[in-house]
């Protein structure tokens, strides 16, 4: 059963409209209720990258906003912090500053409000078709979780048929520390990794281009304010440390990964590329789509440090997600990408807050701009898996692209597109844009 929470405010009103007409078009990812953040510059220029907020098909240039003085007080200070090539300083200002800037921009962008400040803000708009993005924060550390029970079951059956769900899964949000240097924004292209793997039935490993290249549908969670080393974050406070959420594709070389990961975990099978969406949807924008976090009564209930009434009441978030694949052939035929699967983040076994708290429980300090991957998001139903290895049963049942092509794993030229959005009766639909990445032929492959 879901329950409405009372943390919504006028910026969530379904009736709010903007004078930026494209924001009011049905199905637009960026209505005035969303206001997600990115770091951008004009395409093909050497302008400095700076923060921006999406409204309809435009971006509000926050460096320009900071110069115009159309905002006041904390909102103005926050805009100044966003006038940099990374949002870390803005993240570090904390929830009051994030809210002040959101509400300040909302007021100026709302249709009902006119005046000199609105005229000034109008001068700060740049069409999104004219901009390019970069990674929006200096990500100090990246941690990738493993919090979908359905994904763990689908993968576990392939890796350990006798014991698919390891006994720790239902007690701790499992994760590994990942690689930051190869994280890129949507539009990223990368070479199929070379590596060492054991082919099925072989007695010795070989070195060559990955033959089982895969994607993972995930969300990325940005840490806003960190914690001091040795001072864990309590579960009830965990979400105050989260700035917002983006899409994340944890590209995975399954042959390399499965050969190397026992007993220490993923390494070269994961570290060659991770593609995120440029826009970060704030936790405040996500408020209307919160749901109760539940745990089956027959499962172990969380230990006390992972238990909280607030997390029970609204720790889950209903974010609809989908994966699409665009092959060279589909592109040549002028057809759109093929939809591979769809699910919701609400099915995850562990919540965002539980990931944050568990991460810090031993004394680890999170820092502003750190990124947590949710882990592959797979739902309980048919066609809801968030990785191709699950959809295609390890490559044995290739999936159809609807044009005569099939895929057991990814081929060169394939682009994988992740999309997600939130919708709920009585509230606006908000979207995250997309994360698109393309596989190129292996170096020397
Ligand atoms: Mn992953």
């Amino acid at each position: 059963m879901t329950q409405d929470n009372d943390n919504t405010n006028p910026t969530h009103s379904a009736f709010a409209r903007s004078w930026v007409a494209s924001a009011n078009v049905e199905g637009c990812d960026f209505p005035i209720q969303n206001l997600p953040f990115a770091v951008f510059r004009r395409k093909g220029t050497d302008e400095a990258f700076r923060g921006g907020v999406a409204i309809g098909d435009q971006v509000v240039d926050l460096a320009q906003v900071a110069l115009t003085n159309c905002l006041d007080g904390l909102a103005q200070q926050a805009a100044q912090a966003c006038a940099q090539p990374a949002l870390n300083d803005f993240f570090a200002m904390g929830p009051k500053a994030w809210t002040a800037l959101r509400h300040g921009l909302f007021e100026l962008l709302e249709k009902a409000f006119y005046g000199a400040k609105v005229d000034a803000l109008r001068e700060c708009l740049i069409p999104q078709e004219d901009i390019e993005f970069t990674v929006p924060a200096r990500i100090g550390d990246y941690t990738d979780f493993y919090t979908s029970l359905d994904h763990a079951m689908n993968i576990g059956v392939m890796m350990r048929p006798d014991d698919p769900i390891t006994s720790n899964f239902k007690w701790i949000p499992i994760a590994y520390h990942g690689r930051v240097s190869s994280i890129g924004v949507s539009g990223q292209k990368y070479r199929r990794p070379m590596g060492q793997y054991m082919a099925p039935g072989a007695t010795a490993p070989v070195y060559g281009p990955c033959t089982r290249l895969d994607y993972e549908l995930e969300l990325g969670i940005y840490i806003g304010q960190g914690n001091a080393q040795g001072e864990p974050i309590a579960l009830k406070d965990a979400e105050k440390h989260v700035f917002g959420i983006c899409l994340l594709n944890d590209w995975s070389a399954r042959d390399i990964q499965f050969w190397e990961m026992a007993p220490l975990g993923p390494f070269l099978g994961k570290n060659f590329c991770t593609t995120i969406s440029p826009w970060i949807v704030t936790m405040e924008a996500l408020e209307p789509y919160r749901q109760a976090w539940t745990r089956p009564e027959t499962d172990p209930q969380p230990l006390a440090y992972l238990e909280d009434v607030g997390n029970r009441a609204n720790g889950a978030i209903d974010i609809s997600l989908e994966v699409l694949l665009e092959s060279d052939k589909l592109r040549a035929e002028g057809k759109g990408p093929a939809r591979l699967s769809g699910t919701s983040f609400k099915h995850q076994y562990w919540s965002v807050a539980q990931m944050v708290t568990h991460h810090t429980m031993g004394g680890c300090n999170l820092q502003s701009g750190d990124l947590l991957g949710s882990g592959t998001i797979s739902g309980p139903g048919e066609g809801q898996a968030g990785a191709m290895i699950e959809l295609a049963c390890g490559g044995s049942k290739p999936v159809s692209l609807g044009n005569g092509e099939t895929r057991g794993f990814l081929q060169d030229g394939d682009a994988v597109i992740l999309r997600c959005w939130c919708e709920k009766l009585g509230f606006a639909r908000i979207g995250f844009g997309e994360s698109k990445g393309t596989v190129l032929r292996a170096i020397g492959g």
Side-chain angles (χ1 to χ4, degrees):
M1 193 181 84
T2 62
Q3 163 183 359
D4 285 335
N5 67 75
D6 54 3
N7 292 327
T8 59
N9 60 52
T11 67
H12 301 108
S13 167
F15 302 108
R17 294 286 181 278
S18 175
W19 48 262
V20 179
S22 57
N24 307 322
V25 174
E26 189 159 343
C28 170
D29 272 355
F30 309 122
I32 193 168
Q33 293 85 356
N34 193 351
L35 305 180
F37 288 77
V39 168
F40 78 98
R41 68 180 175 193
R42 280 189 179 81
K43 221 184 268 180
T45 71
D46 56 3
E47 287 179 357
F49 280 103
R50 66 274 192 186
V53 164
I55 178 76
D57 60 7
Q58 307 287 306
V59 60
V60 181
D61 181 342
L62 293 173
Q64 194 63 32
V65 167
L67 293 175
T68 62
N69 287 315
C70 58
L71 296 170
D72 306 304
L74 189 54
Q76 168 66 7
Q77 289 167 35
Q80 284 168 342
C82 291
Q84 300 184 53
L87 297 175
N88 298 63
D89 288 353
F90 173 52
F91 290 177
M93 290 176 80
K96 282 200 176 109
W98 311 336
T99 290
L101 183 51
R102 172 182 168 87
H103 288 240
L105 290 172
F106 181 93
E107 197 174 304
L108 292 176
L109 289 166
E110 211 186 352
K111 204 170 189 171
F113 192 96
Y114 291 95
K117 288 183 174 181
V118 170
D119 292 338
L121 188 70
R122 202 184 304 270
E123 298 301 309
C124 302
L125 296 180
I126 300 173
Q128 283 171 30
E129 62 180 12
D130 295 341
I131 66 172
E132 59 189 9
F133 298 98
T134 190
V135 174
R138 288 183 310 276
I139 302 170
D141 283 292
Y142 159 51
T143 305
D144 195 27
F145 279 84
Y146 188 68
T147 63
S148 161
L149 181 60
D150 298 294
H151 171 69
M153 179 61 84
N154 295 340
I155 291 283
V157 164
M158 285 180 242
M159 293 189 78
R160 294 171 303 275
D162 301 335
D163 180 27
I165 302 294
T166 56
S167 60
N168 56 0
F169 184 91
K170 292 185 175 181
W171 293 97
I172 52 177
I174 294 172
Y176 64 94
H177 285 117
R179 184 78 195 168
V180 174
S181 62
S182 52
I183 297 175
V185 280
S186 185
Q188 191 175 28
K189 295 179 178 176
Y190 68 96
R191 296 276 188 181
R192 173 182 299 270
M194 300 289 287
Q196 183 189 134
Y197 49 86
M198 184 77 94
T203 52
V206 295
Y207 171 79
C210 167
T211 62
R212 291 161 72 88
L213 187 60
D214 200 358
Y215 58 84
E216 289 187 343
L217 168 64
E218 302 194 19
L219 292 175
I221 298 147
Y222 281 97
I223 297 301
Q225 285 180 311
N227 60 303
Q229 191 174 6
E231 295 179 17
I233 298 171
L235 192 61
K236 67 177 172 48
D237 300 324
E239 288 209 1
K240 295 176 199 150
H241 291 262
V242 177
F243 174 73
I245 293 181
C246 69
L247 282 156
L248 185 150
N249 185 344
D250 176 26
W251 301 94
S252 300
R254 300 300 184 193
D255 39 10
I256 298 167
Q257 180 194 347
F258 282 22
W259 172 232
E260 75 183 355
M261 75 180 282
L264 270 185
F267 182 38
L268 304 186
K270 297 278 194 176
N271 70 4
F272 53 92
C273 188
T274 303
T275 308
I276 54 176
S277 59
W279 298 109
I280 310 168
V281 174
T282 63
M283 295 309 280
E284 185 172 354
L286 291 169
E287 273 300 336
Y289 319 101
R290 314 285 319 208
Q291 293 196 352
W293 177 88
T294 57
R295 174 63 55 90
E297 277 176 25
T298 48
D299 277 12
Q301 301 305 301
L303 293 180
Y305 79 99
L306 291 172
E307 185 67 90
D308 171 61
V309 289
N311 187 62
R312 286 275 177 183
N314 56 29
I317 316 172
D318 184 11
I319 303 175
S320 299
L321 304 111
E322 65 179 7
V323 183
L324 303 102
L325 190 151
E326 182 187 78
S327 66
D328 276 340
K329 185 161 178 269
L330 281 167
R331 220 171 278 132
E333 292 165 348
K335 293 180 180 157
R339 187 177 185 276
L340 298 182
S341 71
T343 183
S344 169
F345 188 55
K346 70 182 177 186
H347 300 301
Q348 295 302 96
Y349 199 78
W350 297 101
S351 69
V352 169
Q354 286 167 325
M355 289 184 232
V356 170
T357 288
H358 186 69
H359 201 309
T360 66
M361 200 37 58
C364 172
N365 47 324
L366 292 172
Q367 302 184 92
S368 293
D370 280 357
L371 185 65
L372 313 183
S374 63
T376 305
I377 303 165
S378 293
E382 192 77 16
Q384 295 187 351
M388 190 171 273
I389 191 170
E390 300 169 61
L391 288 174
C393 300
S396 65
K397 291 182 187 161
V399 295
S400 167
L401 302 188
N403 66 340
E405 285 186 285
T406 60
R407 288 290 183 279
F409 287 98
L410 298 173
Q411 294 188 4
D412 294 346
D414 285 354
V416 174
I417 300 161
L418 311 181
R419 289 185 190 144
C420 68
W421 63 93
C422 298
E423 50 193 345
K424 182 181 174 182
L425 200 63
F427 290 92
R429 175 197 178 280
I430 63 170
F432 287 60
E434 65 180 31
S435 157
K436 180 176 183 177
T438 307
V439 183
L440 305 175
R441 189 167 47 83
I443 304 164

